[in-house]
Amino acid sequence: MGWNSLQLLPFHRLVAHSASVENPEPSRYHTKPAMWEQQILRVVDVVLDLALDQLRAPTSKPDLLRTESNEHSQRQCKGCDGVCELLRWGEVQRRRDSAYQGCSPPRMIHNSYLELDLCARVSGCDTCRMFRRAFLLEQITGHGAESLEHPDNQWPIYAILNLRSFGDSALLLAVRSPDDTPFSATIHLSQKPRPRPQNPTRRLPGLRSDLEQLRQVIDDCRHNHGCSSRHRWSHRNPTWLLKILPGNCAQLVEGPQWPVDYVVLSYSWGDPATMPPAEWARIKGAGTKTIGGRPVPERLSPFLVWELPETMQDAIMLAASLGYSYIWIDNVCIPKGTNWDTEAALMHEVYGNAAFTLVASSSTKATDPLIHDRLAWTHRSKACKLRGLWLHHAPVSLDRVRFESPVSQRAWTLQEERLSPRILYWASQRWYWSCAERQVVEMDELQCTAPAADEPPQSCPQRFLELCHTGDEEQLHEEWLDIVEAYTRRDLVEPKDRFLALSGLAVRFYNAKAANGGAAITEDYLAGLWKDNFARHLAWAVTRAVDAGPNLQHIAPSWSWASLPLRVRTRARFPFQPSDHFKFIAVEHIETPCTDIHPGESKQPTATPENTAVDLITRGRAVELRGRGVKVVAVQGRFRRFISEDAREVAWEAIERRRGDRRSFDFGGFPGQHIYARHRADGRILARDAHCGEVVGQLDYMAPSRGGEDDKDAPPRRAPYLPEGAEKELVCLELGESAMLLLVQDRERAQPESYRRVGVAIGYGSTRKGFFYGCETKTIHLV
């Protein structure tokens, strides 16, 4: 059997009342080596599965499954009569007030998801079929779709009508409770019909994926877009590639000297703390071992792909089905013992030169299948109408797939996405395509028009590459801050890889600046920040103070976001006007020596006029390697105390007032007094001089309670947090017109005027714009 004839989805269910099973062709339905007769046995298993579904269905209210034709000649069950009652409620509200907006009381429409599924499959209710599809399309991963049917997740399904003051209204569907739901979906209501999504296959919907549309999208990008010409870094291939062979085999080969089309896999290994040790050992064991610096013969010879974890198996099958002969998978194609520093710094080449990057959005870990049953498409698409309103499920946005899939929680995958000119996101029920010129979702095309007023703008994964190409320096720095926000919330198996997992982006950023500035470039990489806009990069903030225990200040200095613990939400993008008084002076200390750069490690060891990219890569790698070790920098700026020496501490509750979601301060109880307050739970700290406006800062870490063990083990001046009772030791350095660093002196260092960051204050221009008027300008060392 040839790889190109491979079908991607196995039989799992027999489609009842909507499709008939045809005799399967052996070459079309194999997903793994098996005789076609075995598929017939699977069909028998499907029939039994269907019978079991009916037995599992709740029987407390069987009348909800009874259907009849409505005024639009559609099948409608008794459960969906409740939806019509909600629509009548909405009609009454709009007759009373045409501008009415609000939500109806919740209405139960089915006793469980299994009952909804049974109604869609057996009763043929058109509305329930749409509701079922909406629930399934909301599940990005295969586990999410499977969990809908789990016996422990069978709670009532509620519907709520949301009437908006403008535009179409919507039905909000929730499992278990409208206020606390594990599964939800949105159904839009419109006066006009919208185009129905196509069906994923011509003969048997839901059982397999038809790749014809995807091939057309890929070919269109290849032949009609400028993605490759703009963003392909070079014609070099990765050092090692997996070559896909017939007979379900693959072979590790050296990247050919001529350019080849290859696919790159971006996936999540999984969390070793949440899986059995044997499963994690299997994932780690898939890595290519070496003997004498060369991969072992078992990998240099053809081997069965079933030896690899499931996500890798399915990725190889998918690449082969799309006509590609090579794939790059990090765990296999970076042999153990390889210089990780060298390989990580070349990721902008590996991903930039690929035909496309395959993002395994449907997998939670490497041992999960990438390809799942596409249950959302069991029934063919059909227009649905209730009480004169057309129903259609809300599209799952590309942003949701990007930011909510398990692969987005892994730090390494951030640069894999941002460095890829073309990306295929493979979710459990459909695929999404993104390149610099077009975004497509299977059976539909993402709208390129401006979003509605109440919807966020659609983001573009290729924005970083586009800005590197155009050389827009200001926007490029803003994009780096966006990268910081996305990176700090992610996880790493090894915290020591904090900088390594970002090194490809840093090299690409530097190369974008170097290509414009040439030899005169002044940019420098400083522990995750950039020198040319250093004040702006220093002004990052945590959204709320975090536990200081797992901080990474042994890896990065206190002034770098890289010193924060893993999985912390930060804010780095906001309006910023630099101060004329702030100045970067010099790098004072690099703690660890950097490894030497050996151009000979690359296939083209020296730069030539025909290939200047080699020199840029070498320079970029040197800058990035040096930047990881920067620990102390000297800066100059206006400097003062944050809290007056004679200020009085007051309780936070005594000054903060809440009016709904709004917060404000009332200092009426402390007229003419210098005061300060600290919020112990979220790390906010306030300073107010008598007859002046207040400044509110955000501390990076929460302090342990007074007398706690942490206070005994670590002297206050060395703690990464600001100890309770030490608030008056805070000093501040002006970064911008409404931005300052909050610092404490580091008395352990012999170097005078050394300070550690403990927080930041941003956006106080409306309350205390003149906070630094008349203050001295001072040179200090940030450690």
Side-chain angles (χ1 to χ4, degrees), residues 704-719:
S705 59
R706 299 183 187 221
E709 292 183 2
D710 287 345
D711 288 340
K712 296 177 182 178
D713 295 341
R717 61 179 176 271
R718 299 193 62 189

Side-chain angles (χ1 to χ4, degrees), residues 487-514:
Y487 189 70
T488 55
R489 67 171 65 109
R490 299 187 179 216
D491 201 5
L492 276 166
V493 174
E494 299 290 346
K496 64 181 178 62
D497 292 338
R498 183 69 150 177
F499 289 121
L500 192 60
L502 200 69
S503 59
L505 285 168
V507 173
R508 186 67 184 91
F509 183 98
Y510 176 84
N511 286 335
K513 300 292 289 292

Side-chain angles (χ1 to χ4, degrees), residues 330-389:
D330 58 358
N331 196 21
V332 180
C333 298
I334 304 181
K336 297 181 185 300
T338 300
N339 187 328
W340 268 95
D341 281 13
T342 300
E343 292 294 331
L346 291 173
M347 288 301 101
H348 65 291
E349 261 198 307
V350 172
Y351 289 89
N353 294 344
F356 66 85
T357 296
L358 171 62
V359 178
S361 302
S362 63
S363 304
T364 60
K365 53 188 176 181
T367 50
D368 282 346
L370 171 66
I371 301 167
H372 298 265
D373 291 340
R374 296 148 56 87
L375 302 178
W377 308 104
T378 299
H379 309 290
R380 291 186 178 274
S381 301
K382 184 178 179 180
C384 187
K385 194 175 186 181
L386 291 180
R387 291 192 65 82
L389 294 174

